């Protein structure tokens, strides 16, 4: 837990034991930064700051959506910043703020073990660096909160910019016909879409919170209302940019889907043509087989007659008939003509 005293002269590091004395003063601004709300930090928030039990619970537990709650002596604001994880996953880095009369408490919510702890301190460290460099000297808790939340909004916008470069790269691969593995490419497309959608959700909910603060906190000074309205506009701009890039990416996805559909149709057409060609070849082959079979049957009839009369058995009365030979020839010709006529009618010849 870092206790910082902010005055017109600069910023000083103080101890937790000095907090009651510092909070009683009206001429200073106290900033308490809590990287992780453990049991000791929860005790300080409860006993020293008099934090409402519900607000204390929100600081200890993880909040999945941004929120704002106004209590008699303080206001709780819960926000999220994006952090890119493995395989396109987007981690929600939680930042809780407790805004009081002359103090600001920033509590960094529980984070996934896979996330670098430094990512949770990104916005507060950036503001602290500006203050040490003399580029920022907030006089009220609202001004300090504004600086921190503005840094968070810039990080959301930077995430959208990174996602935009991925979208452009994906579009170039589609238009260039170099998508590689289609399944992997589709995964990359939907990972980029997921990232834009996650940041869009964060910025939209954050903007709604600060838009609500301008009307919810009736005792907020005019300067605080102006800063809250400006933050609402910043988040609205991030949401608008994320929406635009998401629509652009959707166009890339639809274009790729069209290409895949057309290619599938062409492949199907080629397969149909091949099947048709094979069918025609099979039909032609069947026709030839029928012709061969027909002629074989026609030639088989006289062969059968000749085979019978070529047996030369002793008891064959036809051998002694004067017209046996012409009759055999006529039988051969008639059987062949009969088969030829039959096959011709059936279209075999």
């Amino acid at each position: 837990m870092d206790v910082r005293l902010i005055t017109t002269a600069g910023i000083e590091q103080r101890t937790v034991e000095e907090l009651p004395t510092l909070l009683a003063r009206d001429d200073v601004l106290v900033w308490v930064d809590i990287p992780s709300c453990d049991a000791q930090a929860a005790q300080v928030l409860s006993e020293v700051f008099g934090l409402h039990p519900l607000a204390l619970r929100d600081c200890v537990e993880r909040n999945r959506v941004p929120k704002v709650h106004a209590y008699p002596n303080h206001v709780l604001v819960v926000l999220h910043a994006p952090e890119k994880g493995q395989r396109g996953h987007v981690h929600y880095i939680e930042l809780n703020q407790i805004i009081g009369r002359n103090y600001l408490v920033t509590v960094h919510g529980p984070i996934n073990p896979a996330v670098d702890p430094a990512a949770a301190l990104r916005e507060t460290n950036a503001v602290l660096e500006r203050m040490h460099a003399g580029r920022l000297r907030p006089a009220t808790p609202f001004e300090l909160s504004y600086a921190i939340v503005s840094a968070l909004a810039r990080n959301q916008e930077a995430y959208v910019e990174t996602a935009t470069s991925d979208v452009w790269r994906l579009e170039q691969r589609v238009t260039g016909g170099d998508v590689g593995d289609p399944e992997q490419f589709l995964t990359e497309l939907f990972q980029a879409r997921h990232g834009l959608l996650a940041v869009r959700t964060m910025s939209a909910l954050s903007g709604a919170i600060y838009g609500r603060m301008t009307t919810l906190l009736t005792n907020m000074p005019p300067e605080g209302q102006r800063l809250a309205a400006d933050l609402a506009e910043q988040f609205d701009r991030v949401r608008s940019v994320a929406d635009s890039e998401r629509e652009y990416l959707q166009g890339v996805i639809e274009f790729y889907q069209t290409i895949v559909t057309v290619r599938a149709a062409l492949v199907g057409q080629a397969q149909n043509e091949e099947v048709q060609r094979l069918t025609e070849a099979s039909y032609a082959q069947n026709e030839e087989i029928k012709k061969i079979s027909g002629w074989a049957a026609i030639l088989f009839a006289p062969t059968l007659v000749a085979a019978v009369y070529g047996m030369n058995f002793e008891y064959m009365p036809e051998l002694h008939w004067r017209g046996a030979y012409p009759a055999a020839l006529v039988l051969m010709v008639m059987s062949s003509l009969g088969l030829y006529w039959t096959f011709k009618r059936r279209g075999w010849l």
Side-chain angles (χ1 to χ4, degrees):
M1 180 184 301
D2 293 315
V3 179
R4 303 177 182 117
L5 181 66
I6 304 173
T7 64
T8 55
I11 181 171
E12 304 173 9
Q13 196 76 23
R14 295 300 182 90
T15 63
V16 177
E17 289 74 17
E18 297 178 273
L19 270 176
T21 303
L22 297 175
L23 294 175
R25 296 174 57 179
D26 294 330
D27 59 335
V28 295
L29 171 61
V30 180
W31 178 16
V32 179
D33 189 44
I34 304 175
S36 179
C37 193
D38 53 16
Q40 180 184 3
Q43 183 179 2
V44 171
L45 291 175
S46 177
E47 296 178 359
V48 178
F49 289 93
L51 205 64
H52 192 279
L54 293 179
L56 181 61
R57 184 194 64 184
D58 288 333
C59 292
V60 175
E61 299 178 358
R62 185 176 184 180
N63 297 278
R64 289 166 177 77
V65 294
K67 64 177 68 174
V68 56
H69 287 299
Y71 298 99
N73 299 322
H74 51 266
V75 176
L76 171 69
V77 181
V78 178
L79 300 174
H80 292 112
E83 179 69 16
K84 191 171 185 178
Q86 297 293 328
R87 298 183 297 275
H89 179 68
V90 179
H91 296 285
Y92 282 55
I93 307 300
E94 182 175 332
L95 175 63
N96 304 323
Q97 299 177 89
I98 304 164
I99 306 173
R101 179 180 58 87
N102 62 339
Y103 64 85
L104 174 68
V105 180
T106 50
V107 182
H108 304 273
I111 61 174
N112 192 306
V115 179
D116 184 1
L121 306 176
R122 183 172 44 205
E123 290 80 16
T124 52
N125 284 344
V127 171
L128 183 62
E129 183 179 346
R130 291 175 58 198
M131 294 173 65
H132 281 305
R135 300 194 305 271
L136 175 66
R137 194 69 77 226
T140 66
F142 291 104
E143 292 180 6
L144 179 57
S145 173
Y146 173 82
I148 296 173
V149 178
S150 292
L152 187 145
R154 286 193 296 272
N155 286 330
Q156 289 184 357
E157 189 172 5
Y159 191 97
V160 174
E161 183 176 354
T162 302
T164 300
S165 64
D166 293 338
V167 172
W168 289 359
R169 176 178 53 82
L170 293 170
E171 183 204 21
Q172 290 174 354
R173 291 174 60 185
V174 171
T175 55
D178 182 23
V179 299
D181 182 14
E183 183 176 352
Q184 177 62 28
F185 185 70
L186 278 175
T187 300
E188 293 180 26
L189 285 173
F190 284 100
Q191 284 177 351
R193 185 178 183 274
H194 168 70
L196 289 172
L197 184 60
V199 178
R200 192 266 180 203
T201 302
M202 290 182 193
S203 58
L205 294 177
S206 301
I209 282 176
Y210 279 94
R212 184 168 177 245
M213 285 178 64
T214 58
T215 57
L216 177 67
L217 304 181
T218 56
N219 57 345
M220 180 187 294
E223 180 66 14
Q225 291 184 350
R226 185 187 67 81
L227 295 177
D230 185 76
L231 290 173
E233 184 178 346
Q234 290 186 39
F235 284 120
D236 185 67
R237 180 180 179 278
V238 176
R239 178 196 58 78
S240 177
V241 174
D243 276 340
S244 299
E245 291 302 325
R246 187 164 59 94
E247 292 179 4
Y248 186 84
L249 177 60
Q250 186 61 34
V252 176
I253 293 175
E254 292 176 358
F255 179 59
Y256 178 65
Q257 289 175 335
T258 301
I259 292 177
V260 172
T261 302
V262 171
R263 287 179 178 175
L266 292 176
V267 171
Q269 182 179 357
Q271 291 177 342
N272 291 336
E273 291 175 354
E274 181 66 16
V275 170
Q276 183 178 0
R277 187 186 66 80
L278 293 175
T279 302
E280 292 174 353
S282 177
Y283 178 78
Q285 185 178 11
N286 291 336
E287 293 297 315
E288 294 297 326
I289 291 175
K290 288 194 293 184
K291 289 181 180 180
I292 294 173
S293 301
W295 284 113
I298 292 172
L299 295 176
F300 175 75
T303 303
L304 177 62
V305 175
V308 171
Y309 285 101
M311 294 178 184
N312 293 325
F313 291 127
E314 182 178 354
Y315 297 103
M316 293 185 68
E318 295 89 348
L319 296 176
H320 304 286
W321 292 354
R322 185 177 297 275
Y325 180 71
L329 293 177
V330 171
L331 179 60
M332 293 178 185
V333 173
M334 293 301 294
S335 61
S336 296
L337 290 176
L339 289 173
Y340 177 82
W341 180 77
T342 302
F343 291 143
K344 191 72 174 177
R345 285 192 58 186
R346 293 181 176 272
W348 282 36
L349 297 176

